[in-house]
Structures are given as structure tokens and as C-alpha cells.
Amino acid sequence: MAKLWEKIKKGKLFTSFRSLKTRIFCIIMAAGIVPCVVLHAGILERYLDNTIATRTTEVQTQVRIIADHLITYNYMLDSSNDVVNAELSQLSNLYDGRVLIIDSGLRIIKDTYAVSEGKILISEPIIKCLKGGGASNDHKDAGYIEIIVPIEEKLEEKPHVAGAMLTSVSTDSIMNGYEYIQSRAFLLEIVAMVVIFGFALLLSRKMLKPFEKITDAINDVKNGFTDEEISVTDYIETENIGDAFNQMMGRMKTLDDSRQEFVSNVSHELKTPLASMKVLADSLLTQEDVPAELYREFMTDIAAEIDRENKIITDLLSLVKMTRTSTDINVDVVDINAVLELLLKRLGPIALRAEVKLIFESRRPVSAEVDEVKLTLALSNLVENGIKYNNKGGWVKVILDADHQYFTVEVSDSGVGIPQESIEHIYERFYRVDKSHSKEIGGTGLGLAITRSAILMHRGSITVSSEEGVGTIFTVRIPLTFIAQS
């Protein structure tokens, strides 16, 4: 109670009820206490009603027997019969009640209390009884049961009601028994509540112990005390949470490794042109009277290294933009056929210089909701790679097709192909299949990473199949209608 009061004063009571432990505790308490209360109210009330009904039936049976004796002993004409009076007194004493014998003129001829004899009793139930009916009324709140029985003479023509017998029976003994049972039931409820409280407290703690283990393990990982996997197999739920956390940790470790590798690759890629420029510049500075031809040659090489550096930085910036959310995508309805025709026209001189033939096949007109700039960049990288990694006299073929939901762009070539062990790495930043010829071929190793990011921003997919010495096929599949991220 002290802790509860402290929480109320600090305004933390609502927060406490948000706790799973508190909710489980409350559910168990409610599951135990509510049935106790219902049973208490239902069983005791049923006991009281049944006891009063049983007492009423018992008294009615005895009253009817005495009513028959009243006729047998002609009591309505002579109320001094000792046998009948003894029965009436016994009935009155047995049930701590009062008996009134009333004749057909509503006059009381017998009162076991001896206070109303000779008086007239006008009562609606008595009048109804004299007309041939009986009555019994439960007045448990007033402390008695009232039973009215007609005194009938059995005549041949039809029964004649000679009077009525009114019996009032005390319910004090019944109520005393009821109150005794009620007090005992209340005591049992208190004991049950204490037991349920302890059981609920113990069970709620025990049920949440595995979750506390998970919390402690996560905190240990967060604080750097351990990097071991979490394993809490008490419940299926805790096991699933542990597995999900372990998978997340594995993913984070992979991302961290990828980040470190990326930083290392970026550093290397950026330092290489700088190192080349430094060597060329130092060579010029350490020589006196450098010939103009050599000076021009070195400056041409330095300009090429600057262009290479600029290309790396530009591709890095493009990649950063591609990895942002879809809010950075500018979607519009675009003619995909026109985009591909313009793209191939722009890359035509490069293909001509490499002696590679460009082929475009459009199977139907296609319009789609895309970001034209990003899509053009992605597809340009695929076609340009097809040209770079091809053979003289080879070809690069672009096929455009669509159905009612997606459009597909297939870029195939007759180039050198990709080894099977390298296919799963080709979308990694700075990854090159043939590192020995990377400088001759050119590029930054970021093209396919940019392509994949651009396609994913459009909620599309990219697949690849390749065979060394035969060629490579990239298949891009993008929805015709842009699906915004929810």
C-alpha cells in the first residue's frame, strides 16, 4: 500500500498499469475474486430463498392438518377443545409464531397470543381465502412468513368455507443461520483473497521472469558487456523475441562490417588518384627545365586523375541520394520507350568506339509512374556495363515489355560474363569482378549499387543470370503505378 500511495503521489499509477506484470496480476486477481463474489451473492441468496420456501411448505402442511382437525372437532362452534388448542399452541411454540382462527364472519375465535379473540379482522387476503382461496406471503425483511389456509367443510354438494386459519411464522432462526453462514463465507472470502493475492503476485513475477532475462541480456549487449546471442527458451514468445534480437544483431554486425569496408574502400579509391597526382606533381617540381612535351603529358595525366576523382565523388553522392527515403523521388508519368531510345542514342558513340552493336526491341508502348532521372541513371549503368565488359564485334540488347501491373527491361550482352561466385557480390559498393583490369576498363565500382538502389526506390526488382564467356542478362521489373511507402 505504501508503494501504491507513493506511485499515486508521483503520478506514476497510470504508468504502473501499463506494465505487463501489473496487468497479469490484475487479471489473475479478477479471475479469482470475481467468482468468489458471484458465488457469495448467488449461493447465499439461493440458500435463504430455499430455506424460507422449505419452511413455508413445512408449515403449510401442518396448518392444513390442523385445519382439518378444526372441522373434525367442530372447533368453529366450540373453541374450547383441548386437543385442538394443544395443537395450536404447539404449532405456535414450535415456529415461534402466532395462530389466528377466523370464522366466516371475520371474527377471531382463537388467538394463540390471547389478545385479539372476539375482534373483527378485515383483511383482503382473509376475504379472498373465505371465498375459496389460500395464500402465503414471504415477509422475510419484516422477519416472518404469513400463511393463510381456508377451513373447509366437506359437503356432498360443494365444500363450504367455515373460516380461515392465519399463521405467522418467525424467520429469526432462518436469518440467524443465514447471517452465521454469511459471516463464515465473508471470512473465507478474505482468506481466499489473501491467497489469490499471493498467488497472483508470485505467478505474475514468475511469468515475466523470462522477459526480465531478455531485458537484462539486451542491456548487457547495449552496454558492451557481451556480444553473445540471447537464448531464453522458457516460452515460445521469449524464444521468438530472442531469435529476432539475435537476427537484428547479426544484421547490425553485417551493416557495421559493410560500413567499415565501405569507408576503407572510399578511402582507398579517393587516395589512389590523389597519390597519382602527388607523384606526377612531385616529378615536375624536382626536375629543372622540364620539356614542354613532358610537362603537357604530366598535366594531362593529372587532369585525368582529377576527372576520375570527380567521377568517384559524383557516384558517391548519387548513391547517398539513392539510399534515402521515397520522399526524395520525383514521380511523373514517363514514356519508357522514349527514355530507352534517348539513353541508347546517348551511349551510341561509346558503343561505336568499343565496336559493340546496340539493339533495342520494344514489344509494346509503355508509360509508367517513375522518376525519369533515377531510372535513366540505373538503366544507363546496365547498358554501359554491357558495353565495357564486351568483346569487339559483340552486342548489347535491350528489350522492353509490360503486363497489366509491371514493365520489364531486359539488358543482355555477349560479353565476358560474371563468375558464379561473384554474382552475389556485384551490387556491393566498389566491388569489381576483375580487379586486375579495373583501371583499364574504368569506372568506380558503384554503378550496380546505384542501379539497385534506384530500382528499389521504385519498389521494383533486379535479377541477373550470367555465364562466363557467353554473356550476362539483367532483368529489371518495376510497377507501372508508383507505390508510395506507407
Side-chain angles (χ1 to χ4, degrees):
M1 288 301 292
K3 289 183 179 179
L4 180 62
W5 177 244
E6 285 298 321
K7 286 183 179 180
I8 293 173
K9 288 196 296 184
K10 293 179 180 178
K12 295 183 178 179
L13 184 60
F14 178 74
T15 304
S16 177
F17 279 116
R18 291 181 59 199
S19 166
L20 182 59
K21 181 185 289 186
T22 304
R23 292 185 181 185
I24 292 175
F25 173 79
C26 291
I27 290 171
I28 297 173
M29 286 291 293
I33 291 174
V34 170
C36 288
V37 174
V38 172
L39 287 173
H40 171 83
I43 292 177
L44 286 181
E45 286 301 315
R46 189 66 180 270
Y47 163 79
L48 183 60
D49 292 340
N50 287 343
T51 305
I52 290 176
T54 301
R55 177 63 58 85
T56 301
T57 303
E58 180 184 327
V59 174
Q60 277 181 336
T61 302
Q62 297 194 36
V63 167
R64 292 186 186 280
I65 293 172
I66 295 175
D68 290 339
H69 289 176
L70 295 177
I71 297 300
T72 303
Y73 291 100
N74 202 19
Y75 191 83
M76 301 305 294
L77 297 177
D78 180 10
S79 59
S80 61
N81 188 283
D82 293 335
V83 175
V84 175
N85 285 331
E87 289 181 348
L88 294 174
S89 296
Q90 186 180 13
L91 177 65
S92 177
N93 294 332
L94 180 62
Y95 296 107
D96 191 20
R98 182 182 184 185
V99 181
L100 298 177
I101 306 298
I102 302 142
D103 63 15
S104 57
L106 301 178
R107 185 172 63 88
I108 299 173
I109 63 174
K110 178 62 179 179
D111 180 4
T112 54
Y113 281 9
V115 294
S116 300
E117 291 177 356
K119 295 180 180 180
I120 301 297
L121 177 61
I122 300 176
S123 169
E124 183 179 354
I126 295 295
I127 293 173
K128 286 183 178 180
C129 182
L130 292 174
K131 289 182 179 181
S136 65
N137 297 304
D138 175 8
H139 297 278
K140 62 183 178 183
D141 294 334
Y144 67 91
I145 303 170
E146 188 177 83
I147 299 170
I148 302 173
V149 173
I151 303 170
E152 296 179 329
E153 293 183 80
K154 311 293 184 189
L155 301 178
E156 293 182 2
E157 297 82 12
K158 81 185 231 184
H160 169 66
V161 178
M165 183 175 175
L166 188 152
T167 306
S168 298
V169 177
S170 173
T171 59
D172 288 347
S173 61
I174 295 175
M175 294 306 296
N176 289 338
Y178 171 77
E179 290 172 0
Y180 175 81
I181 294 174
Q182 189 178 42
S183 65
R184 291 296 179 270
F186 181 73
L187 183 62
L188 287 174
E189 282 181 13
I190 296 297
V191 174
M193 286 182 185
V194 172
V195 172
I196 292 170
F197 180 86
F199 178 74
L201 194 62
L202 181 65
L203 189 59
S204 62
R205 286 182 178 177
K206 184 174 179 59
M207 289 178 68
L208 290 179
K209 200 70 176 176
F211 293 96
E212 292 175 358
K213 289 181 185 176
I214 288 179
T215 303
D216 294 339
I218 292 175
N219 286 333
D220 287 343
V221 172
K222 181 186 70 175
N223 295 327
F225 299 139
T226 180
D227 57 356
E228 294 181 0
E229 291 188 348
I230 294 174
S231 178
V232 182
T233 58
D234 299 64
Y235 308 134
I236 294 177
E237 291 77 8
T238 56
E239 188 173 0
N240 291 339
I241 292 172
D243 290 343
F245 182 80
N246 293 333
Q247 290 173 11
M248 182 188 71
M249 287 296 297
R251 175 62 177 164
M252 289 177 64
K253 189 175 185 307
T254 301
L255 290 174
D256 188 57
D257 292 343
S258 175
R259 178 183 59 80
Q260 292 182 18
E261 184 180 357
F262 177 68
V263 171
S264 175
N265 289 336
V266 167
S267 301
H268 174 74
E269 293 292 335
L270 291 177
K271 283 174 67 177
T272 301
L274 289 174
S276 298
M277 287 187 282
K278 182 76 167 65
V279 170
L280 292 169
D282 288 345
S283 297
L284 291 175
L285 291 174
T286 55
Q287 297 182 46
E288 295 182 2
D289 301 324
V290 179
E293 293 80 7
L294 183 61
Y295 190 86
R296 187 178 294 108
E297 180 184 347
F298 278 24
M299 291 304 296
T300 301
D301 291 341
I302 290 174
E305 292 299 330
I306 291 173
D307 289 339
R308 183 182 172 196
E309 186 94 0
N310 184 58
K311 174 65 173 171
I312 294 172
I313 294 172
T314 301
D315 282 354
L316 281 172
L317 291 174
S318 298
L319 185 59
V320 169
K321 290 179 181 179
M322 292 297 179
T323 54
R324 291 180 183 172
T325 61
S326 60
T327 54
D328 294 320
I329 192 168
N330 299 312
V331 176
D332 201 357
V333 178
V334 175
D335 184 346
I336 306 299
N337 300 70
V339 168
L340 289 173
E341 287 173 359
L342 182 61
L343 183 155
L344 294 177
K345 182 178 180 181
R346 183 168 57 82
L347 293 176
I350 299 175
L352 186 62
R353 193 162 50 246
E355 299 181 23
V356 173
K357 183 179 181 182
L358 293 181
I359 305 167
F360 177 51
E361 180 182 329
S362 175
R363 294 179 178 173
R364 56 180 51 80
V366 178
S367 293
E369 296 178 2
V370 296
D371 184 320
E372 184 175 356
V373 175
K374 291 181 174 60
L375 181 64
T376 300
L377 179 60
L379 297 178
S380 293
N381 286 333
L382 293 180
V383 177
E384 196 169 352
N385 280 351
I387 296 171
K388 286 180 182 178
Y389 297 96
N390 217 312
N391 304 305
K392 288 186 178 182
W395 50 264
V396 175
K397 187 174 185 180
V398 179
I399 301 174
L400 174 64
D401 199 358
D403 56 24
H404 63 290
Q405 283 186 312
Y406 299 88
F407 74 88
T408 57
V409 178
E410 182 183 285
V411 180
S412 57
D413 62 61
S414 60
V416 297
I418 304 171
Q420 290 300 311
E421 64 271 13
S422 298
I423 285 182
E424 61 180 291
H425 301 289
I426 60 175
Y427 300 113
E428 295 176 6
R429 300 158 183 175
F430 298 110
Y431 183 82
R432 288 187 175 91
V433 175
D434 188 356
K435 295 180 175 59
S436 60
H437 295 86
S438 60
K439 192 168 183 179
E440 298 172 14
I441 295 173
T444 62
L446 294 171
L448 288 179
I450 293 172
T451 297
R452 183 173 180 272
S453 296
I455 292 169
L456 291 179
M457 287 184 77
H458 287 84
R459 304 292 180 268
S461 63
I462 180 170
T463 57
V464 59
S465 63
S466 184
E467 184 178 347
E468 287 188 85
V470 177
T472 303
I473 301 174
F474 283 94
T475 304
V476 175
R477 188 167 181 260
I478 296 176
L480 294 169
T481 303
F482 181 72
I483 305 170
Q485 186 174 7
S486 57

